Amino acid sequence: MKIAIVQLLTIVISIYLLSGCTNGKNNDFKIAKVSPAKIEINGDLSEYLQVVNGDYEIVDDFGGKLSIKVKAIKALPESELNNDIKIYASILGENGVPISGTGVFEMLKSSKEKVIFLLKRGSGEEVIELESDTTQYKGAKHGSRAKTFVVSSLLSKTNDSGNYNTSFDNENTGIYYAAIDKVFFYNTPDFTSKRKAYLIKGTDEI
């Protein structure tokens, strides 16, 4: 009889502990629901890809994670498929303006092959994953404000030296250097907002 009571108490305690762990985990993964402000994708792939309209979730798991479905409109020329393909998302609030501090959600490398597959075929749909920097998006801070998102794209073409048309920060100093002769600045994390200002390679000239 005593053994049966001990076994029953052990089962009850185990269920309680498991329930507590599960609830704690759910609290860590704060979710925000967002939808595309527009299905068009800005930038270099605007004629080739679009976002499938619907509701999506941003999960706060050591940074924001956003999975979206994209659809191919037509095939990308084969000569362009060798370029580095980048897809970004910016999170917007109720006023349609990017939420300060959320950072830019960038497509994970694991999703790049899916996008290339779509661009080769020129048809079909695939779910791709985008992720923000761990120091940026925070569900507790930004989740209730996140309402919509916009997606931008970029084909980084290589130059003769094999470098990409981009800028980089060697040691996270906040100082960026041009990998090619001229790199332009942008007003927002959106490649359609290019400014006249630019950075010259090897100098501090702007």
Side-chain angles (χ1 to χ4, degrees), residues 189-205:
D190 182 333
F191 293 103
T192 62
S193 63
K194 185 168 71 173
R195 297 166 54 187
K196 292 182 179 180
Y198 54 83
L199 180 68
I200 300 295
K201 180 180 178 181
T203 73
D204 57 0
E205 180 182 349

Side-chain angles (χ1 to χ4, degrees), residues 6 19 21 33 48 51 61-62 67 69 80 95 117 139 153 177 191 200:
V6 171
S19 175
C21 290
K33 294 192 180 289
Y48 305 96
V51 181
D61 178 18
F62 298 103
S67 296
K69 183 178 287 187
E80 299 287 339
N95 56 2
F117 176 74
S153 61
Y177 302 87
F191 293 103
I200 300 295

Side-chain angles (χ1 to χ4, degrees), residues 4 10 20 22 24 67 76 81 102 105 112 121 139 143 155 184 189 192-193 202:
T10 302
T22 302
S67 296
L76 184 71
L81 289 171
T102 56
F105 285 64
K112 183 177 177 180
R121 290 186 56 189
L155 288 177
F184 284 89
T192 62
S193 63

Side-chain angles (χ1 to χ4, degrees), residues 19-73:
S19 175
C21 290
T22 302
N23 289 336
K25 186 175 181 180
N26 286 339
N27 287 334
D28 292 338
F29 290 80
K30 299 180 185 300
I31 295 174
K33 294 192 180 289
V34 291
S35 58
K38 57 181 181 178
I39 62 172
E40 292 79 15
I41 292 179
N42 299 325
D44 297 334
L45 298 177
S46 60
E47 298 180 13
Y48 305 96
L49 292 175
Q50 64 181 206
V51 181
V52 176
N53 208 4
D55 293 327
Y56 298 98
E57 295 178 341
I58 303 175
V59 178
D60 180 5
D61 178 18
F62 298 103
K65 292 179 174 61
L66 171 65
S67 296
I68 61 173
K69 183 178 287 187
V70 294
K71 177 181 179 180
I73 305 172

Side-chain angles (χ1 to χ4, degrees), residues 45 84-88 106-107 152-156 166 191:
L45 298 177
D84 190 28
I85 298 171
K86 296 183 181 293
I87 294 179
Y88 305 88
E106 183 173 354
M107 180 177 68
S152 301
S153 61
L154 176 68
L155 288 177
S156 294
T166 185
F191 293 103

Side-chain angles (χ1 to χ4, degrees), residues 108-173:
L108 297 179
K109 291 181 179 179
S110 57
S111 293
K112 183 177 177 180
E113 289 301 320
K114 294 182 179 181
V115 173
I116 292 175
F117 176 74
L118 287 179
L119 293 172
K120 282 183 176 179
R121 290 186 56 189
S123 62
E125 300 177 353
E126 289 284 354
V127 175
I128 63 172
E129 294 180 298
L130 302 98
E131 187 174 52
S132 74
D133 187 282
T134 55
T135 63
Q136 298 292 315
Y137 180 87
K138 303 293 181 184
K141 182 179 180 181
H142 304 120
S144 61
R145 298 169 58 197
K147 302 301 178 184
T148 60
F149 63 91
V150 291
V151 179
S152 301
S153 61
L154 176 68
L155 288 177
S156 294
K157 300 180 181 180
T158 56
N159 56 27
D160 293 337
S161 64
N163 292 323
Y164 287 111
N165 181 6
T166 185
S167 60
F168 61 92
D169 179 3
N170 272 340
E171 300 176 351
N172 296 319
T173 60

